[in-house]
Amino acid sequence: MEIRIGREGDQAFQITDKEVSRKHAILRSLPDGTYQLEDVDSTYGTFVNGQKIIKAPVNSGDVVRLGSQYILNISLLLAPFEKEKEEKKELEAKEKQLTARFYLLEKVYEDYTAKKIDIQRSLAVKNFYRTLPMIISSLLFGLTMLFDHSGWVASIKPFMGGLMILFIGISTFQVYKGQKDQPAKMEELNQQFMIDYVCPGCKNFLGYIPFKSLVNKKQCLICKCKWV
């Protein structure tokens, strides 16, 4: 950013002093955050704290004179630069904060994936134990069929058949109950995930997209805020 100073300059106020050239000097903001005043071949010269300069660093406390008598209000000229600098700092702080909040989503996704796997694994284990009595009773009933020529085996066959039917009924009910409970648990997990896995900028749900894929996208598709 730079401001051209003079009677035909683009400073925010008018200069009518005849010793001030039409294009007298240029005030620049440097990359390191300091300011530089450069004389551009003015007729009567540019002075900083009484010293004639071609290029010199300046700040709001310096006395800047154009020609022999015109005192330049350097603080007024630096105001837009300072405002721009503050806005840039605020923007950088917001971007850092946004990036920090974005990377917290990695744990949110990892926790969601781990809990989903736990629910599925838990259901598989429970279903195994729920069907185990049915499997054992079926094996025992099968054995009675193999040894049905024995008198004692024949006497317990009706009991084993009834027991097998009972175990099949209980196991079927338990498996059905487990299958019914899983959607409720998954729905609760998904609802919380939709609350937590959101863009730190616009707060919209990011979908079931893996965190690494979001990193590669680098920005939100909705509000376009940059994450990385």
Side-chain angles (χ1 to χ4, degrees):
M1 182 178 179
E2 64 179 34
I3 295 176
R4 297 182 182 277
I5 305 167
R7 286 187 286 121
E8 294 180 0
D10 50 17
Q11 72 277 348
F13 47 88
Q14 186 178 11
I15 300 176
T16 58
D17 192 301
K18 296 298 183 180
E19 290 190 6
V20 177
S21 300
R22 289 185 176 86
K23 296 178 181 178
H24 196 106
I26 296 176
L27 179 64
R28 294 189 181 91
S29 175
L30 301 180
D32 62 0
T34 60
Y35 305 109
Q36 181 189 75
L37 184 65
E38 177 184 1
D39 183 88
V40 287
D41 296 325
S42 63
T43 305
Y44 295 98
T46 302
F47 301 81
V48 176
N49 298 325
Q51 298 294 319
K52 189 174 183 178
I53 60 99
I54 296 176
K55 286 184 181 180
V58 290
N59 57 59
S60 58
D62 291 329
V63 177
V64 177
R65 177 166 51 87
L66 307 181
S68 63
Q69 59 183 5
Y70 184 83
I71 302 299
L72 185 67
N73 190 334
I74 193 68
S75 297
L76 185 60
L77 283 177
L78 290 177
F81 291 98
E82 293 292 337
K83 183 180 179 181
E84 184 184 53
K85 189 186 295 185
E86 287 301 316
E87 289 175 349
K88 186 177 179 181
K89 285 182 180 179
E90 289 177 6
L91 181 62
E92 288 175 351
K94 287 181 180 178
E95 288 176 347
K96 287 181 180 179
Q97 190 178 32
L98 188 72
T99 300
R101 291 204 305 268
F102 169 72
Y103 276 98
L104 293 176
L105 296 178
E106 182 175 14
K107 188 175 187 305
V108 172
Y109 187 81
E110 288 175 351
D111 288 348
Y112 167 76
T113 303
K115 288 177 182 178
K116 183 171 67 173
I117 292 172
D118 284 344
I119 290 173
Q120 294 170 343
R121 183 184 292 118
S122 176
L123 179 66
V125 172
K126 287 180 180 178
N127 283 342
F128 170 76
Y129 285 112
R130 285 165 178 163
T131 57
L132 190 60
M134 181 178 68
I135 295 171
I136 293 173
S137 64
S138 297
L139 289 173
L140 291 175
F141 186 76
L143 289 174
T144 63
M145 295 298 291
L146 291 174
F147 299 100
D148 61 352
H149 58 277
S150 300
W152 68 273
V153 173
S155 64
I156 66 170
K157 186 182 293 185
F159 171 75
M160 292 301 299
L163 188 64
M164 185 177 71
I165 293 172
L166 177 63
F167 280 155
I168 289 174
I170 293 173
S171 298
T172 302
F173 174 76
Q174 291 293 333
V175 171
Y176 167 76
K177 183 181 178 182
Q179 294 290 350
K180 189 177 180 181
D181 290 342
Q182 188 194 27
K185 291 181 179 179
M186 281 303 303
E187 180 63 21
E188 182 181 354
L189 180 63
N190 287 335
Q191 288 292 334
Q192 189 60 49
F193 183 64
M194 291 173 70
I195 293 172
D196 297 335
Y197 202 60
V198 296
C199 170
C202 63
K203 306 301 180 184
N204 281 295
F205 177 52
L206 295 169
Y208 298 91
I209 303 172
F211 179 77
K212 289 184 179 179
S213 296
L214 293 180
V215 173
N216 292 333
K217 291 180 184 297
K218 296 183 180 180
Q219 66 178 17
C220 177
L221 296 177
I222 300 172
C223 69
K224 305 301 181 183
C225 68
K226 292 184 178 181
W227 298 323
V228 181

